[in-house]
Amino acid sequence: MKIAFATQDLKRVDAHFGWAKNIAIYEIGPQGHRFLEAIQFDGDLKEDGNEDKLAPKIEAIKDCAILYVAAIGGSGAARVVASNIHPMKVNQPEEITDLLLKLEDVLKGTPPPWLRKALSKDQERTLDFED
């Protein structure tokens, strides 16, 4: 399953989705995680009501099941959810590796229903590629 993190420094979830300079993408499962890529966004990312800046970010995370953010606006959240991605807000900046380790532990046990649904979508997506 792929997970995306809105980050300014590639180490912590410390960015509003619309303002994030980077989106770090990891592959994760019960046995561990691995870094896949960091996508950098340039230009004017400040809050300005410009919804066009969200399109490339949503495109970049389209294969992800979960998006971790420090904050996300209402329309951004709606667009992320419409892309079948579950947004997760952190209350304060958190290390990406800490979040990955916590999620691995959840995956080893009995994940909550929303996470089982995300996992099943990821398996369907994998099966589509194998056909």
Side-chain angles (χ1 to χ4, degrees):
M1 169 172 64
K2 289 183 183 178
I3 309 293
F5 299 90
T7 176
Q8 303 295 34
D9 63 7
L10 294 174
K11 294 181 174 114
R12 301 173 303 146
V13 174
D14 60 355
H16 183 288
F17 181 57
W19 313 340
K21 291 180 187 171
N22 304 289
I23 302 285
I25 298 177
Y26 286 77
E27 182 83 35
I28 188 169
Q31 310 313 320
H33 64 270
R34 66 185 172 104
F35 173 77
L36 294 177
E37 66 180 318
I39 302 161
Q40 189 171 16
F41 298 91
D42 295 320
D44 187 6
L45 299 172
K46 70 178 185 293
E47 182 179 12
D48 57 6
N50 177 4
E51 299 296 317
D52 292 339
K53 68 184 171 201
L54 295 178
K57 290 183 176 176
I58 291 169
E59 177 64 23
I61 65 170
K62 69 179 182 211
D63 292 335
C64 296
I66 301 171
L67 166 67
Y68 281 89
V69 298
I72 189 167
S75 65
R79 290 171 69 177
V80 166
V81 169
S83 297
N84 293 317
I85 302 163
H86 189 87
M88 295 285 292
K89 186 174 176 283
V90 298
N91 292 324
Q92 60 191 28
E94 285 196 53
E95 296 288 326
I96 291 172
T97 51
D98 291 347
L99 291 166
L100 286 164
L101 292 172
K102 288 178 195 173
L103 192 53
E104 283 172 29
D105 284 343
V106 171
L107 292 174
K108 288 176 190 169
T110 305
W114 69 266
L115 189 51
R116 286 197 304 268
K117 186 176 178 183
L119 281 166
S120 68
K121 280 185 197 165
D122 188 61
Q123 289 167 349
E124 289 169 14
R125 193 175 298 143
T126 303
L127 293 174
D128 289 344
F129 289 125
E130 292 173 356
D131 291 343

